[in-house]
Every structure is written in structure tokens, then in C-alpha cells.
Amino acid sequence: MKLHAAAILIIFWLGVFTVHTVKGSAGSQPMRKFSCVSLFTQQLNIRQLVSYEKQQVPVNAIMFITTKGIKICVSPDQKWVQAAMKKIDQKRATKGR
């Protein structure tokens, strides 16, 4: 029984060491949990957008996050997208004061 418990303990510690090693090497490079692969073509309601992230890979896009936490990818070349980003930046600036 002691041998069985020791084997389980060794396997557990090897697992912890492996996770820690992988987490350390991958943790040094930021990884996105959500990445844009296609773009939404319709204009969004700017009042429903709370933040955005710029993305260049795999496609050049702006990922807007709505008040409900929904992430929507759009083309950064559209005029309304630039206006929405500017409005979000202005909101952030006034909150920081």
C-alpha cells in the first residue's frame, strides 16, 4: 500500500512540475483567448461598446467588447470603427481623471 501511495504522489508531483514548466514558458508570451478570424460587416451601436482590442494576426481587425461582454470583430478601415474607438478612448480618459 505504501508503494502505491508513493507512486501516486510521484505522478502528482510530476504533473505539477510539468504544468509549472509549461505555464512558465507559455506565460512569458501573451496568448489571446479569443482571436478574430472573420469580420462582422454591419455597423454596431456605439453606445453598447465598452472597450476594444487591436489585432493584426490572423486578420487585421478591431475586436469590440459590448456592455454584455460579447466580442465582435470588425474591419479597422471603416469610418464608424475609428469614431467608436475614439469615443471609447475619450471615456477612458475622463474616467482616469
Side-chain angles (χ1 to χ4, degrees), residues 4-41:
H4 182 67
I8 290 174
L9 189 59
I10 289 172
I11 291 170
F12 171 77
W13 283 112
L14 283 174
V16 169
F17 177 74
T18 302
V19 169
H20 179 70
T21 303
V22 170
K23 188 175 181 182
S25 62
S28 62
Q29 299 176 0
M31 296 182 70
R32 293 181 183 262
K33 293 181 180 178
F34 181 86
S35 184
C36 299
V37 290
S38 63
L39 302 177
F40 191 73
T41 57

PDB file of all heavy atoms in Angstrom, residues 4-41:
ATOM      1  N   HIS A   4       2.089   1.969  -3.494  1.00  0.00           N
ATOM      2  CA  HIS A   4       1.010   2.533  -4.303  1.00  0.00           C
ATOM      3  C   HIS A   4       0.841   4.026  -4.009  1.00  0.00           C
ATOM      4  O   HIS A   4       0.724   4.848  -4.927  1.00  0.00           O
ATOM      5  CB  HIS A   4      -0.292   1.772  -4.024  1.00  0.00           C
ATOM      6  CG  HIS A   4      -1.454   2.226  -4.837  1.00  0.00           C
ATOM      7  ND1 HIS A   4      -1.510   2.054  -6.190  1.00  0.00           N
ATOM      8  CD2 HIS A   4      -2.600   2.850  -4.479  1.00  0.00           C
ATOM      9  CE1 HIS A   4      -2.643   2.566  -6.631  1.00  0.00           C
ATOM     10  NE2 HIS A   4      -3.326   3.048  -5.603  1.00  0.00           N
ATOM     11  N   ALA A   5       0.835   4.420  -2.752  1.00  0.00           N
ATOM     12  CA  ALA A   5       0.694   5.821  -2.363  1.00  0.00           C
ATOM     13  C   ALA A   5       1.896   6.631  -2.838  1.00  0.00           C
ATOM     14  O   ALA A   5       1.747   7.767  -3.307  1.00  0.00           O
ATOM     15  CB  ALA A   5       0.537   5.937  -0.850  1.00  0.00           C
ATOM     16  N   ALA A   6       3.081   6.058  -2.751  1.00  0.00           N
ATOM     17  CA  ALA A   6       4.286   6.751  -3.200  1.00  0.00           C
ATOM     18  C   ALA A   6       4.241   6.976  -4.714  1.00  0.00           C
ATOM     19  O   ALA A   6       4.614   8.047  -5.205  1.00  0.00           O
ATOM     20  CB  ALA A   6       5.530   5.954  -2.813  1.00  0.00           C
ATOM     21  N   ALA A   7       3.766   5.986  -5.453  1.00  0.00           N
ATOM     22  CA  ALA A   7       3.665   6.112  -6.907  1.00  0.00           C
ATOM     23  C   ALA A   7       2.673   7.217  -7.284  1.00  0.00           C
ATOM     24  O   ALA A   7       2.937   8.025  -8.185  1.00  0.00           O
ATOM     25  CB  ALA A   7       3.249   4.784  -7.525  1.00  0.00           C
ATOM     26  N   ILE A   8       1.550   7.268  -6.594  1.00  0.00           N
ATOM     27  CA  ILE A   8       0.555   8.310  -6.863  1.00  0.00           C
ATOM     28  C   ILE A   8       1.144   9.683  -6.550  1.00  0.00           C
ATOM     29  O   ILE A   8       0.954  10.636  -7.304  1.00  0.00           O
ATOM     30  CB  ILE A   8      -0.738   8.044  -6.063  1.00  0.00           C
ATOM     31  CG1 ILE A   8      -1.446   6.807  -6.634  1.00  0.00           C
ATOM     32  CG2 ILE A   8      -1.661   9.258  -6.091  1.00  0.00           C
ATOM     33  CD1 ILE A   8      -2.647   6.367  -5.847  1.00  0.00           C
ATOM     34  N   LEU A   9       1.864   9.784  -5.452  1.00  0.00           N
ATOM     35  CA  LEU A   9       2.473  11.047  -5.060  1.00  0.00           C
ATOM     36  C   LEU A   9       3.512  11.499  -6.090  1.00  0.00           C
ATOM     37  O   LEU A   9       3.558  12.679  -6.463  1.00  0.00           O
ATOM     38  CB  LEU A   9       3.112  10.920  -3.673  1.00  0.00           C
ATOM     39  CG  LEU A   9       3.603  12.206  -3.026  1.00  0.00           C
ATOM     40  CD1 LEU A   9       2.450  13.191  -2.864  1.00  0.00           C
ATOM     41  CD2 LEU A   9       4.231  11.923  -1.691  1.00  0.00           C
ATOM     42  N   ILE A  10       4.306  10.590  -6.595  1.00  0.00           N
ATOM     43  CA  ILE A  10       5.315  10.917  -7.613  1.00  0.00           C
ATOM     44  C   ILE A  10       4.638  11.390  -8.900  1.00  0.00           C
ATOM     45  O   ILE A  10       5.041  12.394  -9.494  1.00  0.00           O
ATOM     46  CB  ILE A  10       6.237   9.704  -7.875  1.00  0.00           C
ATOM     47  CG1 ILE A  10       7.151   9.486  -6.667  1.00  0.00           C
ATOM     48  CG2 ILE A  10       7.065   9.916  -9.145  1.00  0.00           C
ATOM     49  CD1 ILE A  10       7.966   8.214  -6.716  1.00  0.00           C
ATOM     50  N   ILE A  11       3.594  10.688  -9.308  1.00  0.00           N
ATOM     51  CA  ILE A  11       2.864  11.081 -10.518  1.00  0.00           C
ATOM     52  C   ILE A  11       2.252  12.465 -10.335  1.00  0.00           C
ATOM     53  O   ILE A  11       2.292  13.309 -11.231  1.00  0.00           O
ATOM     54  CB  ILE A  11       1.789  10.027 -10.879  1.00  0.00           C
ATOM     55  CG1 ILE A  11       2.471   8.743 -11.337  1.00  0.00           C
ATOM     56  CG2 ILE A  11       0.837  10.552 -11.945  1.00  0.00           C
ATOM     57  CD1 ILE A  11       1.541   7.564 -11.497  1.00  0.00           C
ATOM     58  N   PHE A  12       1.707  12.725  -9.156  1.00  0.00           N
ATOM     59  CA  PHE A  12       1.126  14.039  -8.870  1.00  0.00           C
ATOM     60  C   PHE A  12       2.175  15.136  -8.993  1.00  0.00           C
ATOM     61  O   PHE A  12       1.962  16.154  -9.638  1.00  0.00           O
ATOM     62  CB  PHE A  12       0.502  14.038  -7.467  1.00  0.00           C
ATOM     63  CG  PHE A  12       0.074  15.397  -7.003  1.00  0.00           C
ATOM     64  CD1 PHE A  12      -1.089  15.971  -7.491  1.00  0.00           C
ATOM     65  CD2 PHE A  12       0.844  16.119  -6.093  1.00  0.00           C
ATOM     66  CE1 PHE A  12      -1.488  17.234  -7.080  1.00  0.00           C
ATOM     67  CE2 PHE A  12       0.451  17.375  -5.670  1.00  0.00           C
ATOM     68  CZ  PHE A  12      -0.714  17.934  -6.164  1.00  0.00           C
ATOM     69  N   TRP A  13       3.341  14.952  -8.368  1.00  0.00           N
ATOM     70  CA  TRP A  13       4.380  15.975  -8.406  1.00  0.00           C
ATOM     71  C   TRP A  13       4.957  16.156  -9.803  1.00  0.00           C
ATOM     72  O   TRP A  13       5.305  17.269 -10.196  1.00  0.00           O
ATOM     73  CB  TRP A  13       5.484  15.669  -7.390  1.00  0.00           C
ATOM     74  CG  TRP A  13       5.045  16.014  -6.001  1.00  0.00           C
ATOM     75  CD1 TRP A  13       4.799  15.158  -4.980  1.00  0.00           C
ATOM     76  CD2 TRP A  13       4.742  17.319  -5.505  1.00  0.00           C
ATOM     77  NE1 TRP A  13       4.362  15.844  -3.871  1.00  0.00           N
ATOM     78  CE2 TRP A  13       4.328  17.182  -4.165  1.00  0.00           C
ATOM     79  CE3 TRP A  13       4.780  18.589  -6.041  1.00  0.00           C
ATOM     80  CZ2 TRP A  13       3.954  18.265  -3.387  1.00  0.00           C
ATOM     81  CZ3 TRP A  13       4.403  19.662  -5.260  1.00  0.00           C
ATOM     82  CH2 TRP A  13       4.005  19.498  -3.944  1.00  0.00           C
ATOM     83  N   LEU A  14       5.048  15.090 -10.568  1.00  0.00           N
ATOM     84  CA  LEU A  14       5.487  15.222 -11.963  1.00  0.00           C
ATOM     85  C   LEU A  14       4.482  16.051 -12.758  1.00  0.00           C
ATOM     86  O   LEU A  14       4.853  16.875 -13.588  1.00  0.00           O
ATOM     87  CB  LEU A  14       5.671  13.846 -12.612  1.00  0.00           C
ATOM     88  CG  LEU A  14       6.940  13.097 -12.216  1.00  0.00           C
ATOM     89  CD1 LEU A  14       6.925  11.692 -12.808  1.00  0.00           C
ATOM     90  CD2 LEU A  14       8.175  13.856 -12.672  1.00  0.00           C
ATOM     91  N   GLY A  15       3.205  15.831 -12.496  1.00  0.00           N
ATOM     92  CA  GLY A  15       2.164  16.623 -13.157  1.00  0.00           C
ATOM     93  C   GLY A  15       2.258  18.084 -12.788  1.00  0.00           C
ATOM     94  O   GLY A  15       2.165  18.959 -13.652  1.00  0.00           O
ATOM     95  N   VAL A  16       2.450  18.375 -11.516  1.00  0.00           N
ATOM     96  CA  VAL A  16       2.580  19.765 -11.063  1.00  0.00           C
ATOM     97  C   VAL A  16       3.811  20.407 -11.690  1.00  0.00           C
ATOM     98  O   VAL A  16       3.763  21.538 -12.180  1.00  0.00           O
ATOM     99  CB  VAL A  16       2.659  19.844  -9.520  1.00  0.00           C
ATOM    100  CG1 VAL A  16       3.058  21.229  -9.050  1.00  0.00           C
ATOM    101  CG2 VAL A  16       1.335  19.433  -8.907  1.00  0.00           C
ATOM    102  N   PHE A  17       4.924  19.682 -11.717  1.00  0.00           N
ATOM    103  CA  PHE A  17       6.151  20.210 -12.305  1.00  0.00           C
ATOM    104  C   PHE A  17       5.973  20.481 -13.797  1.00  0.00           C
ATOM    105  O   PHE A  17       6.389  21.508 -14.312  1.00  0.00           O
ATOM    106  CB  PHE A  17       7.310  19.223 -12.080  1.00  0.00           C
ATOM    107  CG  PHE A  17       8.593  19.666 -12.733  1.00  0.00           C
ATOM    108  CD1 PHE A  17       9.331  20.703 -12.184  1.00  0.00           C
ATOM    109  CD2 PHE A  17       9.037  19.067 -13.893  1.00  0.00           C
ATOM    110  CE1 PHE A  17      10.496  21.112 -12.783  1.00  0.00           C
ATOM    111  CE2 PHE A  17      10.205  19.476 -14.497  1.00  0.00           C
ATOM    112  CZ  PHE A  17      10.947  20.503 -13.939  1.00  0.00           C
ATOM    113  N   THR A  18       5.308  19.571 -14.506  1.00  0.00           N
ATOM    114  CA  THR A  18       5.073  19.735 -15.940  1.00  0.00           C
ATOM    115  C   THR A  18       4.188  20.943 -16.206  1.00  0.00           C
ATOM    116  O   THR A  18       4.484  21.756 -17.078  1.00  0.00           O
ATOM    117  CB  THR A  18       4.421  18.467 -16.534  1.00  0.00           C
ATOM    118  OG1 THR A  18       5.279  17.349 -16.269  1.00  0.00           O
ATOM    119  CG2 THR A  18       4.201  18.600 -18.024  1.00  0.00           C
ATOM    120  N   VAL A  19       3.112  21.090 -15.459  1.00  0.00           N
ATOM    121  CA  VAL A  19       2.217  22.236 -15.635  1.00  0.00           C
ATOM    122  C   VAL A  19       2.959  23.526 -15.333  1.00  0.00           C
ATOM    123  O   VAL A  19       2.846  24.504 -16.059  1.00  0.00           O
ATOM    124  CB  VAL A  19       0.965  22.100 -14.745  1.00  0.00           C
ATOM    125  CG1 VAL A  19       0.173  23.395 -14.707  1.00  0.00           C
ATOM    126  CG2 VAL A  19       0.098  20.966 -15.239  1.00  0.00           C
ATOM    127  N   HIS A  20       3.755  23.527 -14.274  1.00  0.00           N
ATOM    128  CA  HIS A  20       4.503  24.725 -13.909  1.00  0.00           C
ATOM    129  C   HIS A  20       5.512  25.090 -14.997  1.00  0.00           C
ATOM    130  O   HIS A  20       5.656  26.248 -15.364  1.00  0.00           O
ATOM    131  CB  HIS A  20       5.217  24.507 -12.578  1.00  0.00           C
ATOM    132  CG  HIS A  20       6.020  25.681 -12.131  1.00  0.00           C
ATOM    133  ND1 HIS A  20       5.437  26.848 -11.718  1.00  0.00           N
ATOM    134  CD2 HIS A  20       7.354  25.889 -12.074  1.00  0.00           C
ATOM    135  CE1 HIS A  20       6.375  27.719 -11.404  1.00  0.00           C
ATOM    136  NE2 HIS A  20       7.551  27.155 -11.619  1.00  0.00           N
ATOM    137  N   THR A  21       6.207  24.112 -15.556  1.00  0.00           N
ATOM    138  CA  THR A  21       7.198  24.349 -16.597  1.00  0.00           C
ATOM    139  C   THR A  21       6.530  24.879 -17.864  1.00  0.00           C
ATOM    140  O   THR A  21       6.967  25.857 -18.442  1.00  0.00           O
ATOM    141  CB  THR A  21       7.968  23.051 -16.929  1.00  0.00           C
ATOM    142  OG1 THR A  21       8.568  22.572 -15.725  1.00  0.00           O
ATOM    143  CG2 THR A  21       9.032  23.303 -17.972  1.00  0.00           C
ATOM    144  N   VAL A  22       5.442  24.254 -18.283  1.00  0.00           N
ATOM    145  CA  VAL A  22       4.736  24.692 -19.482  1.00  0.00           C
ATOM    146  C   VAL A  22       4.141  26.064 -19.268  1.00  0.00           C
ATOM    147  O   VAL A  22       4.224  26.944 -20.117  1.00  0.00           O
ATOM    148  CB  VAL A  22       3.638  23.671 -19.870  1.00  0.00           C
ATOM    149  CG1 VAL A  22       2.737  24.227 -20.946  1.00  0.00           C
ATOM    150  CG2 VAL A  22       4.270  22.371 -20.315  1.00  0.00           C
ATOM    151  N   LYS A  23       3.560  26.290 -18.109  1.00  0.00           N
ATOM    152  CA  LYS A  23       2.951  27.585 -17.807  1.00  0.00           C
ATOM    153  C   LYS A  23       4.003  28.677 -17.805  1.00  0.00           C
ATOM    154  O   LYS A  23       3.768  29.775 -18.299  1.00  0.00           O
ATOM    155  CB  LYS A  23       2.240  27.523 -16.456  1.00  0.00           C
ATOM    156  CG  LYS A  23       1.420  28.742 -16.151  1.00  0.00           C
ATOM    157  CD  LYS A  23       0.666  28.560 -14.863  1.00  0.00           C
ATOM    158  CE  LYS A  23      -0.186  29.769 -14.555  1.00  0.00           C
ATOM    159  NZ  LYS A  23      -0.885  29.644 -13.299  1.00  0.00           N
ATOM    160  N   GLY A  24       5.176  28.389 -17.299  1.00  0.00           N
ATOM    161  CA  GLY A  24       6.245  29.378 -17.263  1.00  0.00           C
ATOM    162  C   GLY A  24       6.717  29.767 -18.647  1.00  0.00           C
ATOM    163  O   GLY A  24       6.899  30.936 -18.950  1.00  0.00           O
ATOM    164  N   SER A  25       6.897  28.809 -19.542  1.00  0.00           N
ATOM    165  CA  SER A  25       7.385  29.145 -20.866  1.00  0.00           C
ATOM    166  C   SER A  25       6.303  29.790 -21.710  1.00  0.00           C
ATOM    167  O   SER A  25       6.563  30.713 -22.463  1.00  0.00           O
ATOM    168  CB  SER A  25       7.920  27.884 -21.571  1.00  0.00           C
ATOM    169  OG  SER A  25       6.879  26.946 -21.724  1.00  0.00           O
ATOM    170  N   ALA A  26       5.067  29.334 -21.601  1.00  0.00           N
ATOM    171  CA  ALA A  26       3.971  29.932 -22.368  1.00  0.00           C
ATOM    172  C   ALA A  26       3.538  31.240 -21.738  1.00  0.00           C
ATOM    173  O   ALA A  26       3.078  32.137 -22.426  1.00  0.00           O
ATOM    174  CB  ALA A  26       2.789  28.970 -22.439  1.00  0.00           C
ATOM    175  N   GLY A  27       3.713  31.369 -20.434  1.00  0.00           N
ATOM    176  CA  GLY A  27       3.286  32.572 -19.750  1.00  0.00           C
ATOM    177  C   GLY A  27       4.137  33.780 -20.087  1.00  0.00           C
ATOM    178  O   GLY A  27       3.712  34.907 -19.889  1.00  0.00           O
ATOM    179  N   SER A  28       5.338  33.548 -20.601  1.00  0.00           N
ATOM    180  CA  SER A  28       6.191  34.668 -20.949  1.00  0.00           C
ATOM    181  C   SER A  28       5.735  35.362 -22.229  1.00  0.00           C
ATOM    182  O   SER A  28       6.144  36.466 -22.515  1.00  0.00           O
ATOM    183  CB  SER A  28       7.643  34.194 -21.096  1.00  0.00           C
ATOM    184  OG  SER A  28       7.726  33.253 -22.148  1.00  0.00           O
ATOM    185  N   GLN A  29       4.868  34.691 -23.005  1.00  0.00           N
ATOM    186  CA  GLN A  29       4.323  35.279 -24.221  1.00  0.00           C
ATOM    187  C   GLN A  29       2.817  35.380 -24.068  1.00  0.00           C
ATOM    188  O   GLN A  29       2.159  34.388 -23.804  1.00  0.00           O
ATOM    189  CB  GLN A  29       4.651  34.414 -25.429  1.00  0.00           C
ATOM    190  CG  GLN A  29       6.137  34.244 -25.669  1.00  0.00           C
ATOM    191  CD  GLN A  29       6.401  33.292 -26.816  1.00  0.00           C
ATOM    192  OE1 GLN A  29       5.484  32.771 -27.423  1.00  0.00           O
ATOM    193  NE2 GLN A  29       7.661  33.062 -27.081  1.00  0.00           N
ATOM    194  N   PRO A  30       2.267  36.597 -24.223  1.00  0.00           N
ATOM    195  CA  PRO A  30       0.819  36.726 -24.075  1.00  0.00           C
ATOM    196  C   PRO A  30       0.076  35.946 -25.145  1.00  0.00           C
ATOM    197  O   PRO A  30       0.449  35.978 -26.310  1.00  0.00           O
ATOM    198  CB  PRO A  30       0.578  38.230 -24.214  1.00  0.00           C
ATOM    199  CG  PRO A  30       1.778  38.762 -24.917  1.00  0.00           C
ATOM    200  CD  PRO A  30       2.913  37.841 -24.581  1.00  0.00           C
ATOM    201  N   MET A  31      -0.952  35.236 -24.728  1.00  0.00           N
ATOM    202  CA  MET A  31      -1.752  34.461 -25.669  1.00  0.00           C
ATOM    203  C   MET A  31      -3.188  34.925 -25.575  1.00  0.00           C
ATOM    204  O   MET A  31      -3.724  35.097 -24.491  1.00  0.00           O
ATOM    205  CB  MET A  31      -1.659  32.967 -25.344  1.00  0.00           C
ATOM    206  CG  MET A  31      -0.264  32.414 -25.498  1.00  0.00           C
ATOM    207  SD  MET A  31      -0.195  30.670 -25.166  1.00  0.00           S
ATOM    208  CE  MET A  31      -1.054  30.035 -26.578  1.00  0.00           C
ATOM    209  N   ARG A  32      -3.812  35.141 -26.706  1.00  0.00           N
ATOM    210  CA  ARG A  32      -5.199  35.560 -26.733  1.00  0.00           C
ATOM    211  C   ARG A  32      -6.109  34.363 -26.513  1.00  0.00           C
ATOM    212  O   ARG A  32      -5.851  33.289 -27.027  1.00  0.00           O
ATOM    213  CB  ARG A  32      -5.546  36.176 -28.085  1.00  0.00           C
ATOM    214  CG  ARG A  32      -4.847  37.470 -28.357  1.00  0.00           C
ATOM    215  CD  ARG A  32      -5.299  37.973 -29.720  1.00  0.00           C
ATOM    216  NE  ARG A  32      -4.604  39.177 -30.070  1.00  0.00           N
ATOM    217  CZ  ARG A  32      -5.100  40.388 -29.901  1.00  0.00           C
ATOM    218  NH1 ARG A  32      -6.288  40.547 -29.382  1.00  0.00           N
ATOM    219  NH2 ARG A  32      -4.428  41.449 -30.252  1.00  0.00           N
ATOM    220  N   LYS A  33      -7.169  34.592 -25.779  1.00  0.00           N
ATOM    221  CA  LYS A  33      -8.163  33.549 -25.596  1.00  0.00           C
ATOM    222  C   LYS A  33      -9.153  33.557 -26.745  1.00  0.00           C
ATOM    223  O   LYS A  33      -9.771  32.564 -27.045  1.00  0.00           O
ATOM    224  CB  LYS A  33      -8.898  33.759 -24.270  1.00  0.00           C
ATOM    225  CG  LYS A  33      -8.022  33.553 -23.072  1.00  0.00           C
ATOM    226  CD  LYS A  33      -8.799  33.740 -21.805  1.00  0.00           C
ATOM    227  CE  LYS A  33      -7.906  33.538 -20.603  1.00  0.00           C
ATOM    228  NZ  LYS A  33      -8.602  33.745 -19.357  1.00  0.00           N
ATOM    229  N   PHE A  34      -9.299  34.710 -27.382  1.00  0.00           N
ATOM    230  CA  PHE A  34     -10.250  34.860 -28.472  1.00  0.00           C
ATOM    231  C   PHE A  34      -9.533  35.588 -29.587  1.00  0.00           C
ATOM    232  O   PHE A  34      -8.910  36.615 -29.363  1.00  0.00           O
ATOM    233  CB  PHE A  34     -11.465  35.666 -27.998  1.00  0.00           C
ATOM    234  CG  PHE A  34     -12.522  35.850 -29.046  1.00  0.00           C
ATOM    235  CD1 PHE A  34     -13.494  34.884 -29.233  1.00  0.00           C
ATOM    236  CD2 PHE A  34     -12.538  36.976 -29.853  1.00  0.00           C
ATOM    237  CE1 PHE A  34     -14.478  35.052 -30.197  1.00  0.00           C
ATOM    238  CE2 PHE A  34     -13.512  37.157 -30.814  1.00  0.00           C
ATOM    239  CZ  PHE A  34     -14.482  36.181 -30.988  1.00  0.00           C
ATOM    240  N   SER A  35      -9.604  35.069 -30.792  1.00  0.00           N
ATOM    241  CA  SER A  35      -8.931  35.676 -31.917  1.00  0.00           C
ATOM    242  C   SER A  35      -9.902  35.832 -33.072  1.00  0.00           C
ATOM    243  O   SER A  35     -10.698  34.940 -33.355  1.00  0.00           O
ATOM    244  CB  SER A  35      -7.755  34.783 -32.340  1.00  0.00           C
ATOM    245  OG  SER A  35      -7.031  35.386 -33.355  1.00  0.00           O
ATOM    246  N   CYS A  36      -9.843  36.973 -33.754  1.00  0.00           N
ATOM    247  CA  CYS A  36     -10.728  37.230 -34.884  1.00  0.00           C
ATOM    248  C   CYS A  36     -10.282  36.420 -36.097  1.00  0.00           C
ATOM    249  O   CYS A  36      -9.114  36.456 -36.470  1.00  0.00           O
ATOM    250  CB  CYS A  36     -10.691  38.708 -35.251  1.00  0.00           C
ATOM    251  SG  CYS A  36     -11.220  39.812 -33.941  1.00  0.00           S
ATOM    252  N   VAL A  37     -11.201  35.706 -36.691  1.00  0.00           N
ATOM    253  CA  VAL A  37     -10.920  35.001 -37.938  1.00  0.00           C
ATOM    254  C   VAL A  37     -11.857  35.455 -39.049  1.00  0.00           C
ATOM    255  O   VAL A  37     -11.588  35.254 -40.222  1.00  0.00           O
ATOM    256  CB  VAL A  37     -10.992  33.461 -37.776  1.00  0.00           C
ATOM    257  CG1 VAL A  37      -9.838  32.958 -36.935  1.00  0.00           C
ATOM    258  CG2 VAL A  37     -12.310  33.033 -37.195  1.00  0.00           C
ATOM    259  N   SER A  38     -12.971  36.070 -38.675  1.00  0.00           N
ATOM    260  CA  SER A  38     -13.884  36.650 -39.660  1.00  0.00           C
ATOM    261  C   SER A  38     -14.394  37.976 -39.108  1.00  0.00           C
ATOM    262  O   SER A  38     -14.351  38.204 -37.906  1.00  0.00           O
ATOM    263  CB  SER A  38     -15.051  35.713 -39.956  1.00  0.00           C
ATOM    264  OG  SER A  38     -15.824  35.515 -38.800  1.00  0.00           O
ATOM    265  N   LEU A  39     -14.856  38.836 -40.019  1.00  0.00           N
ATOM    266  CA  LEU A  39     -15.241  40.178 -39.601  1.00  0.00           C
ATOM    267  C   LEU A  39     -16.731  40.413 -39.789  1.00  0.00           C
ATOM    268  O   LEU A  39     -17.308  40.032 -40.808  1.00  0.00           O
ATOM    269  CB  LEU A  39     -14.459  41.221 -40.415  1.00  0.00           C
ATOM    270  CG  LEU A  39     -12.943  41.120 -40.313  1.00  0.00           C
ATOM    271  CD1 LEU A  39     -12.287  42.154 -41.208  1.00  0.00           C
ATOM    272  CD2 LEU A  39     -12.482  41.276 -38.889  1.00  0.00           C
ATOM    273  N   PHE A  40     -17.338  41.055 -38.808  1.00  0.00           N
ATOM    274  CA  PHE A  40     -18.739  41.453 -38.852  1.00  0.00           C
ATOM    275  C   PHE A  40     -18.826  42.664 -39.774  1.00  0.00           C
ATOM    276  O   PHE A  40     -18.007  43.569 -39.697  1.00  0.00           O
ATOM    277  CB  PHE A  40     -19.207  41.792 -37.430  1.00  0.00           C
ATOM    278  CG  PHE A  40     -20.675  41.974 -37.281  1.00  0.00           C
ATOM    279  CD1 PHE A  40     -21.526  40.887 -37.328  1.00  0.00           C
ATOM    280  CD2 PHE A  40     -21.216  43.232 -37.077  1.00  0.00           C
ATOM    281  CE1 PHE A  40     -22.896  41.048 -37.177  1.00  0.00           C
ATOM    282  CE2 PHE A  40     -22.577  43.409 -36.925  1.00  0.00           C
ATOM    283  CZ  PHE A  40     -23.424  42.310 -36.982  1.00  0.00           C
ATOM    284  N   THR A  41     -19.806  42.711 -40.639  1.00  0.00           N
ATOM    285  CA  THR A  41     -19.854  43.766 -41.658  1.00  0.00           C
ATOM    286  C   THR A  41     -20.810  44.906 -41.339  1.00  0.00           C
ATOM    287  O   THR A  41     -20.698  45.969 -41.938  1.00  0.00           O
ATOM    288  CB  THR A  41     -20.239  43.162 -43.025  1.00  0.00           C
ATOM    289  OG1 THR A  41     -21.493  42.485 -42.892  1.00  0.00           O
ATOM    290  CG2 THR A  41     -19.182  42.191 -43.508  1.00  0.00           C
TER     291      THR A  41
END
